[in-house]
Amino acid sequence: MFDILIRSGLVVDGSGTAGFQADVAIAGGRIAEVGLLADAGATTVIDATGLVVAPGFIDMHSHADFSLSAASPRRPSWKRPANRRSE
């Protein structure tokens, strides 16, 4: 028995190969198994039909733009007057 079972998603694993239809099982906060897990059970089951599942993907998106602009001699856009944004 798994903690979470994501069923019937289009699994894209980042390897560059085409996505494939599969289930993703999670146990103890980790990916336990990827494949056709028709007989598997879980505490929580998520239907991912028509959705993309990217197991192991970590979203590093951040709005910490100041760290990039701090190294630049130009002023960051959020510090410029509104009428001078195109500098």
Side-chain angles (χ1 to χ4, degrees):
M1 179 81 122
F2 298 108
D3 298 327
I4 301 171
L5 185 58
I6 305 171
R7 290 207 177 271
S8 303
L10 177 65
V11 175
V12 177
D13 63 9
S15 67
T17 60
F20 56 95
Q21 212 63 33
D23 307 319
V24 178
I26 301 168
R30 296 181 179 263
I31 298 167
E33 200 168 336
V34 176
L36 300 177
L37 310 174
D39 297 329
T43 306
T44 302
V45 177
I46 300 169
D47 180 11
T49 303
L51 301 174
V52 173
V53 180
F57 177 77
I58 299 172
D59 184 0
M60 294 300 293
H61 177 81
S62 171
H63 288 275
D65 298 335
F66 73 91
S67 63
L68 296 175
S69 61
S72 171
R74 293 181 50 189
R75 291 174 67 190
S77 63
W78 51 269
K79 284 189 173 181
R80 287 184 228 138
N83 61 348
R84 306 214 39 210
R85 298 258 185 230
S86 62
E87 267 185 6

